């Protein structure tokens, strides 16, 4: 049996911090309102000349170093992002060149906040079929570039960042299962109306926050059941929940579903905000570097995002 094993993680946050107190100066809101409704205290924002690929590259350097691999071993690069540097080439191709990696397939995946779980799922299948042995999987987003800072219920949520993992083929258990889903009929509840081919409407995020909230909680409930059932595991078998960081109240609802105390949930939303595809690898790397998550522990990652898309990954770390 071939498994995909996470052998190194890395993350990167831009220097500039946008705190709730900064937002109080931009529109009518309060630190108290934002903290109570979302759990967010601050988020990092890119500078004018910083791009998604820059965040991805810094996170990847750390992941490569942590894994101890020769970077020439990387035989596939996948970047999950909704905010690519350019329409084309893909951010993955730009990252390949910036890191000076050897020629290998490189492509982007777009599943918004579920992007990292989607990318992990695809990378796992490349490894399980023997098509790749060492994959650089990145989640990176510059959500500030598509945020309307005059829409206060929306602008408070988003942050920028990048996270990366090195996945290597192993005979030791690693990724145990991945589960990905989508339902495009919810497009209008969370979207950027204008794009490349469709050039009508705003080019910033529009969201029906309270509706998204309710559907997210119910959907994450069902993905947790699906993951546990497929692996014939009990809730108590999960050591850590590593969730997409969308809203502390969504995280608390999933923890409750798992009968898990919040100290077994990796929470970075207070410091990072919602960094979309970057949020899970950022949370994972932060928890590993803070010596919370240890080798041999069982991790459940889950995410929900625009599309709607959703998914999970069960991992023996
Ligand atoms: N500061 C102060 N008041 C605000 C505010 C802000 N930043 N944003 C909205 N409000 C006000 C609204 O104007 C409204 O006032 P009213 O009752 O006088 O009309 C009130 O707060 C409630 O607004 P509502 O939009 O219903 O707030 P909410 O409780 O749903 O919270 C979100 C808004 C966005 C925090 C919440 O819906 C949410 O987190 N949803 C999930 C979104 C998400 O995670 N999306 C990404 C998925 S990957």
């Amino acid at each position: 049996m071939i498994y995909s094993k996470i052998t190194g993680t890395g993350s990167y946050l831009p220097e500039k911090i946008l705190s709730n107190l900064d937002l109080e100066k931009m529109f009518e809101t309060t630190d108290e309102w934002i903290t109570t409704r979302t759990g967010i205290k601050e988020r990092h924002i890119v500078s004018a000349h910083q791009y998604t690929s820059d965040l991805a590259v810094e996170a990847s350097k750390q992941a490569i170093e942590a894994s101890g691999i020769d970077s020439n071993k990387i035989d596939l690069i996948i970047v999950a992002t909704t905010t690519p540097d350019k329409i084309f080439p893909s951010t993955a191709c730009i990252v390949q060149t910036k890191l000076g990696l050897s020629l290998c397939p490189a492509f982007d995946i777009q599943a918004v906040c579920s992007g990292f779980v989607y990318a992990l799922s695809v990378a796992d299948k490349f490894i399980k079929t023997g098509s790749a042995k060492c994959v650089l999987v990145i989640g990176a987003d510059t959500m500030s570039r598509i945020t309307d800072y005059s829409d206060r219920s929306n602008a408070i949520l988003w942050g920028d960042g990048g996270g990366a993992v090195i996945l290597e083929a192993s005979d030791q258990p690693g990724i145990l299962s991945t589960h990905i889903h989508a339902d495009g009929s919810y497009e209008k509840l969370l979207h950027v109306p204008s794009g490349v081919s469709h050039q009508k409407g705003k080019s910033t995020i529009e969201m029906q926050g309270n509706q998204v909230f309710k559907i997210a909680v119910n959907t994450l409930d069902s993905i947790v059941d699906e993951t546990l059932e497929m692996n014939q595991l009990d809730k108590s078998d999960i050591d850590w929940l590593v969730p997409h960081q969308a809203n502390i109240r969504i995280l608390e609802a999933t923890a409750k579903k798992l009968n898990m105390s919040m100290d077994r949930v990796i929470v970075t939303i207070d410091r990072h905000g919602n960094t979309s595809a970057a949020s899970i690898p950022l949370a994972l790397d932060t928890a590993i570097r803070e010596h919370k998550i240890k080798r041999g522990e069982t991790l459940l990652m889950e995410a929900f995002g625009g599309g709607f898309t959703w998914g999970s990954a069960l991992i023996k770390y």
Side-chain angles (χ1 to χ4, degrees):
M1 177 84 183
I2 306 174
Y3 290 99
S4 313
K5 187 103 192 148
I6 296 178
T7 58
T9 64
S11 60
Y12 181 76
L13 291 159
E15 260 175 47
K16 187 180 166 197
I17 292 176
L18 187 65
S19 69
N20 290 351
L21 300 180
D22 295 326
L23 293 177
E24 284 184 3
K25 293 176 200 139
M26 293 165 65
F27 43 76
E28 206 183 321
T29 192
T30 58
D31 172 45
E32 200 261 329
W33 194 95
I34 301 171
T35 308
T36 317
R37 298 286 172 120
T38 69
I40 302 169
K41 295 298 271 183
E42 60 184 35
R43 63 294 283 145
H44 291 246
I45 302 291
V46 281
S47 65
H49 304 293
Q50 221 169 11
Y51 308 120
T52 296
S53 65
D54 297 319
L55 311 183
V57 162
E58 293 309 318
S60 300
K61 282 182 188 164
Q62 279 189 12
I64 291 166
E65 192 188 338
S67 73
I69 57 158
D70 172 350
S71 60
N72 286 318
K73 264 183 78 179
I74 293 169
D75 53 8
L76 175 64
I77 304 164
I78 307 179
V79 176
T81 187
T82 303
T83 48
D85 289 21
K86 298 179 171 183
I87 293 168
F88 72 83
S90 70
T91 304
C93 287
I94 296 171
V95 166
Q96 181 191 44
T97 303
K98 283 188 176 174
L99 283 172
L101 299 178
S102 30
L103 301 186
C104 67
F107 58 86
D108 290 359
I109 280 186
Q110 210 267 49
V112 204
C113 297
S114 313
F116 184 75
V117 171
Y118 265 65
L120 214 54
S121 182
V122 172
D124 182 44
K125 283 161 184 72
F126 267 84
I127 288 181
K128 284 214 167 82
T129 56
S131 306
K133 289 196 164 52
C134 182
V135 189
L136 172 59
V137 186
I138 304 165
D141 265 309
T142 47
M143 298 305 279
S144 63
R145 294 270 155 78
I146 53 168
T147 297
D148 174 359
Y149 285 98
S150 68
D151 175 359
R152 65 178 181 165
S153 67
N154 206 323
I156 54 170
L157 299 175
W158 309 102
D160 301 335
V165 303
I166 295 290
L167 271 190
E168 288 185 81
S170 169
D171 54 9
Q172 299 301 309
I175 295 180
L176 302 176
S177 70
T178 60
H179 309 257
I180 53 175
H181 299 276
D183 183 346
S185 67
Y186 289 107
E187 175 192 346
K188 298 257 163 68
L189 291 188
L190 174 54
H191 68 143
V192 173
S194 180
V196 182
S197 159
H198 182 288
Q199 298 188 337
K200 285 184 210 133
K202 283 173 65 174
S203 51
T204 48
I205 303 164
E206 269 186 10
M207 181 174 68
Q208 306 297 321
N210 42 16
Q211 291 189 61
V212 173
F213 185 95
K214 284 181 208 141
I215 300 169
V217 170
N218 291 334
T219 308
L220 290 170
D221 251 28
S222 69
I223 197 83
V224 165
D225 284 341
E226 179 186 329
T227 313
L228 293 176
E229 269 167 35
M230 175 173 267
N231 291 280
Q232 294 179 322
L233 286 183
D234 187 71
K235 293 169 181 173
S236 60
D237 295 320
I238 308 295
D239 293 309
W240 292 101
L241 179 64
V242 189
H244 165 53
Q245 310 282 316
N247 180 311
I248 190 70
R249 292 181 295 139
I250 298 179
L251 270 57
E252 285 166 352
T254 312
K256 196 169 163 204
K257 162 86 184 167
L258 282 162
N259 294 336
M260 212 174 213
S261 76
M262 281 305 284
D263 56 11
R264 305 306 285 171
V265 180
I266 304 302
V267 179
T268 53
I269 187 153
D270 51 333
R271 295 169 271 170
H272 300 170
N274 183 343
T275 57
S276 195
S279 103
I280 290 181
L282 258 169
L284 175 70
D285 183 57
T286 304
I288 289 170
R289 286 175 198 270
E290 288 175 354
H291 306 292
K292 283 184 176 167
I293 293 178
K294 299 195 180 61
R295 284 281 169 205
E297 290 183 319
T298 303
L299 320 180
L300 176 61
M301 294 176 178
E302 46 80 351
F304 179 87
F308 288 145
T309 56
W310 63 99
S312 66
L314 187 77
I315 297 172
K316 181 68 87 181
Y317 174 62

